Each structure stands twice: as structure tokens, then as C-alpha cells.
Amino acid sequence: RSTGDGNYIQIQAPTTAVGTYNFQYKINNESTWHDFPIKYMGSFDKLDLANGDVLHLKGTNSTFVPNGSSYFTILPGSVYSASGTITVSGYLSAIINGVGYPNQLPNEFESNHLFGGDNNILSSAQGLVFPENTTNDCYKYMFHNSKYLVHPPAKLPALQLADRCYVDMFNGCSKLVESPEIMYKGSLDSGCFMQMFYNCSQLSTLKIHFPGWGSGATNWMAGVPVGGDWYCPVSLESPPLGLVGGNGIPAGWERHADYLD
């Protein structure tokens, strides 16, 4: 949803995706889907949005498999220096392959940099619904340096995490005020969470549902404010002394045991 005048959407697509991946869109209550005007190699058509427009977007005919250096980026922008905002909601899997349901298994690297970038004016992803599964690197850098993002997806529901799946996911989101509710059957460790909230300088609320602390996650909370609130199950005690700080929970953050075990 677009709020304000002068907003637009661009999609940056790698050259390796030419002929193998398309996006379709419709605006507001249109009944017909249209092909999104993608260009490749740094020059991308933009789709203009009026104040209040709701853009419906889906991926189609995908045979392109992303990797660590080849990925799509959706770039909400504004011709008025980010005076407007854009919010995103719906099934994440539908954006990628046109099919939206909770148990859709993402490809490795699938959402790398999907909403990243300094000029991305995405302000809220609270309504973005994530699959209940992960694969290696699937959400790495997903919102990296998205400097206008205030509200993240409401929940990361996966209980089993693949390697590096949340690494740098919100790194550099300097307006982010809260974390998603992070559901996980395992313990905090760097393999999945490294630098997840690195330099989120306005983060004040953390919601986690872990059974234990593990070895900690390298710099996952480094660069956040010295004070805040973190919410957890009753069974999860405060982190051991070695995990007080950027690799665990900052010492000035207050624990709230508000989740059911």
C-alpha cells in the first residue's frame, strides 16, 4: 500500500534471470494481471503509484534459482525524497512464485536483499506472512539497510532453522523499533542469527521464543540502544554473563516472561 504522492516500485533483476522469471501486478480492484516492466543490468522501469494505491504483486513462471550474488530486489521509492511510505503484506512465497501458503519451502538465498537498500522507503512489513520452513541463507540481508523500515514482519514462525537463514536480515535498519516474534525450538547461536539486528539503533523491543541460549549469536544485538525490553517464555532465564551484550542481550534491557512455554 502506498501512502503519499510520488511513490513508485522498481524491481532490480539479475541478468541470469532474463527469460526465466517474470512478475505480474494489478492495482487496487483490477481484475486483470499485467506484466511488470522489468529491465536488466541497472536500468529498471518504474511503476508509479498514487496515494492510497494497493499494488498486488506475484512472481510467475520461475525457473531462476537465486544464489549469494544473484538475486531480486524490490525497490519502493519516492520522487520526493521519501516523503511517502509503502507497506507490504501478504504471503512472501506469492511474491516469489505466485503461490501463497504457510508451508511453502523457500529456495536457498530466495529472499536475499529482497527489500534492502538505502533508498527503499518501505516502512512496515507487519503483514508479510513467512513460510514455516527455512533453507540455507534464505532470508540473509532481506531488509539490509532498509532505513525507513519501522515495523518488521510480525512473526518468523519457523521452528527449525537452516544454516545462516537470518544472518544480517535487519542489519542497518536504523528506524526499526521492534523485532518480529521469533519462534525457534533451538538455542541462540551465530549460525542462524549473526548480525541479525546489527546497528538497529532505535530497536527497543525484542520478542523471542527460544528454549535456551546456546553459544550466542555474533553481534546479533550489537549497535542497539543500551536499554529496551525483551519478551520470552517463563522457562528462558536471563542469559549467562558471557552473553550479556551484542552476542546475547544488552545488560540494560529488561526481561519480561510473558510468553507461554
Side-chain angles (χ1 to χ4, degrees):
R1 178 182 292 272
S2 174
T3 302
D5 296 318
N7 291 347
Y8 59 83
I9 295 286
Q10 291 179 314
I11 297 178
Q12 178 176 339
T15 55
T16 52
V18 175
T20 65
Y21 205 109
N22 297 290
F23 290 91
Q24 291 186 328
Y25 75 94
K26 57 184 180 179
I27 295 176
N28 299 326
N29 296 319
E30 284 185 300
S31 59
T32 302
W33 290 92
H34 312 282
D35 290 334
F36 196 97
I38 299 179
K39 289 185 178 180
Y40 299 93
M41 284 301 291
S43 177
F44 314 106
D45 284 354
K46 65 180 182 180
L47 185 65
D48 293 321
L49 298 173
N51 184 24
D53 273 351
V54 176
L55 173 70
H56 305 268
L57 182 68
K58 66 177 182 179
T60 61
N61 304 317
S62 174
T63 58
F64 168 69
V65 178
N67 58 52
S69 59
S70 185
Y71 45 79
F72 295 100
T73 301
I74 297 174
L75 299 169
S78 172
V79 297
Y80 299 123
S81 300
S83 62
T85 59
I86 288 179
T87 61
V88 62
S89 61
Y91 286 106
L92 175 61
S93 58
I95 297 175
I96 304 299
N97 58 29
V99 179
Y101 52 89
N103 291 320
Q104 177 76 21
L105 183 66
N107 291 317
E108 292 185 5
F109 300 99
E110 184 170 89
S111 295
N112 278 205
H113 298 271
L114 187 63
F115 293 104
D118 291 352
N119 297 319
N120 189 323
I121 66 168
L122 182 70
S123 63
S124 176
Q126 279 186 312
L128 194 61
V129 180
F130 276 64
E132 296 173 357
N133 305 289
T134 63
T135 51
N136 293 347
D137 304 282
C138 55
Y139 306 126
K140 195 174 182 180
Y141 298 109
M142 184 173 179
F143 298 96
H144 183 229
N145 281 342
S146 187
K147 296 188 182 300
Y148 298 93
L149 184 68
V150 176
H151 301 291
K155 181 180 287 189
L156 299 178
L159 298 178
Q160 304 290 340
L161 301 186
D163 290 346
R164 303 171 301 278
C165 57
Y166 297 144
V167 168
D168 288 294
M169 188 174 184
F170 299 100
N171 184 336
C173 292
S174 55
K175 289 190 175 181
L176 192 74
V177 297
E178 59 186 341
S179 79
E181 181 179 357
I182 305 171
M183 312 296 294
Y184 180 36
K185 282 186 175 180
S187 300
L188 181 69
D189 66 78
S190 60
C192 300
F193 298 98
M194 185 172 66
Q195 297 189 167
M196 185 176 185
F197 299 106
Y198 187 79
N199 281 343
C200 291
S201 55
Q202 295 189 47
L203 188 73
S204 60
T205 301
L206 177 71
K207 295 169 283 188
I208 55 176
H209 203 297
F210 302 155
W213 287 107
S215 60
T218 303
N219 289 329
W220 91 305
M221 292 279 282
V224 305
V226 296
D229 297 284
W230 62 283
Y231 297 81
C232 66
V234 174
S235 59
L236 183 62
E237 299 294 337
S238 295
L241 186 61
L243 292 184
V244 174
N247 296 343
I249 301 291
W253 283 51
E254 183 176 354
R255 174 179 176 267
H256 303 271
D258 288 1
Y259 285 156
L260 296 176
D261 289 297

